[in-house]
Amino acid sequence: MVTYVLFAVGFVLLVKGADWLVDGASAIGRKARIPEMVIGLTIVSFGTSLPELLVTTMASLEGKAELGVGNVLGSNIANILIILGLAAIVRPLPIHRDTYLIDLPISMFAILLFGFLANTQWQPMDEALHLTRSDGVILLLFFCFFLIYIFGEVKTKNADAGGEVVPVNVVAAAAKILGGAVLLFFGGEWVVNGASALAKIAGWSEAFIGLTVVAVGTSLPELVTSAVAAYKGNVNIAVGNAIGSNIFNVLWILGFTSIINPIPYSPSSNLDIMMIIFASAALIVAVIVGKRPVISRWEGAIFILIYAGYVAYLLRLQTGA
């Protein structure tokens, strides 16, 4: 009973946590003259990726690899199709040139790198596929390259920036970011625990739970954060949050988790990798179609329909219908 009460309370924490995180990140961005896209790709993405990090790490330590990998892959699919889809419905999302020429390709490279490492057997005597500690080091190395690129962009754009610095209470803004991240963490955890309990009652497998219920549950912080950011007009944070979270999920979370404990990998997960690539390609198409690089409301609705079809297909595989 307590699990289900926390499940409901978790949603409240997610909404409030997202509100604090967006406000705090935006304030610091104005103070330091850091572009909103960079804030979304770093601070906000890290804060909203905490539930994925917790679930994936715990699943790996408890020997539930399918749940952990499914959580990350399912979250990345949800980040594009559900989060950007709903955010676009709230407010059409203009996409900057750097986003679809640099940030999104980096996200696609990250998932391709993960797929290559997970499907490659470096030790021929080992029949089972694993994401090894060496693979984790490679993922974290590329994550460091990504951060270097981001901070390089900040330095360049700050050098070119002009105008007065907006007066901001940095302590209050930092407190909002920290408080928002904490609320998102516990809210995401409680929602996932309740959703997982409900899913187990239905008799679903760990892989299916990870790809759907847990993935959507741990993506709720990104969902609420992006929706709130879009509603407030901070569309760059909304887009940067979703794409940045995908990069964090693969390079940081799977890299860090596999170093702690090598992760067994099932070839069936390659279908989900292909779905992430398809969703990313659909995002690029949505951006280049039309007179302006923007995700319109009707394109956002199509994203949600695609995700619904994907889940329906997984459910059909699960039930054998």
Side-chain angles (χ1 to χ4, degrees), residues 147-162:
L147 291 181
I148 291 172
Y149 155 72
I150 290 297
F151 290 117
E153 286 292 295
V154 172
K155 184 177 180 180
T156 300
K157 292 180 180 180
N158 277 352
D160 297 335

Side-chain angles (χ1 to χ4, degrees), residues 24-284:
S26 298
I28 287 183
R30 292 193 299 271
K31 175 69 175 179
R33 292 191 241 180
I34 298 176
E36 283 188 345
M37 177 59 70
V38 175
I39 291 291
L41 282 167
T42 53
I43 298 175
V44 179
S45 294
F46 179 78
T48 56
S49 290
L50 285 176
E52 283 93 342
L53 176 61
L54 172 70
V55 171
T56 304
T57 301
M58 294 302 296
S60 176
L61 292 175
E62 295 176 7
K64 300 178 180 179
E66 289 187 350
L67 179 62
V69 174
N71 169 44
V72 169
L73 298 182
S75 293
N76 279 24
I77 296 170
N79 282 347
I80 296 176
L81 297 181
I82 292 184
I83 293 173
L84 291 183
L86 286 178
I89 290 176
V90 172
R91 183 189 295 264
L93 301 176
I95 307 297
H96 285 192
R97 182 181 178 85
D98 287 350
T99 301
Y100 61 84
L101 289 183
I102 300 177
D103 301 326
L104 189 56
I106 290 176
S107 176
M108 294 181 71
F109 169 79
I111 192 62
L112 289 172
L113 176 63
F114 164 72
F116 171 76
L117 294 175
N119 283 279
T120 302
Q121 290 179 311
W122 301 108
Q123 299 177 355
M125 297 302 293
D126 188 2
E127 295 182 359
L129 294 175
H130 284 80
L131 193 67
T132 65
R133 288 188 172 91
S134 297
D135 297 332
V137 170
I138 293 174
L139 291 175
L140 288 181
L141 180 62
F142 278 97
F143 180 67
C144 291
F145 291 155
F146 169 68
L147 291 181
I148 291 172
Y149 155 72
I150 290 297
F151 290 117
E153 286 292 295
V154 172
K155 184 177 180 180
T156 300
K157 292 180 180 180
N158 277 352
D160 297 335
E164 299 181 357
V165 177
V166 178
V168 171
N169 187 328
V170 177
V171 175
K176 275 194 170 184
I177 291 177
L178 179 60
V182 170
L183 293 183
L184 287 169
F185 178 83
F186 285 105
E189 181 182 9
W190 292 347
V191 168
V192 167
N193 287 341
S196 296
L198 292 174
K200 288 179 181 178
I201 292 176
W204 295 339
S205 68
E206 281 188 2
F208 182 73
I209 292 174
L211 283 165
T212 55
V213 178
V214 177
V216 173
T218 55
S219 290
L220 282 175
E222 287 95 335
L223 172 60
V224 179
T225 299
S226 291
V228 170
Y231 177 77
K232 293 184 175 183
N234 299 322
V235 293
N236 287 329
I237 286 183
V239 176
N241 173 45
I243 297 177
S245 291
N246 278 13
I247 298 172
F248 270 66
N249 286 350
V250 175
L251 297 182
W252 162 245
I253 294 178
L254 288 178
F256 174 78
T257 305
S258 61
I259 288 178
I260 294 178
N261 191 35
I263 304 174
Y265 180 80
S266 172
S268 61
S269 295
N270 289 334
L271 173 64
D272 307 306
I273 290 178
M274 294 302 298
M275 187 61 191
I276 295 174
I277 296 173
F278 171 78
S280 300
L283 176 57
I284 294 176

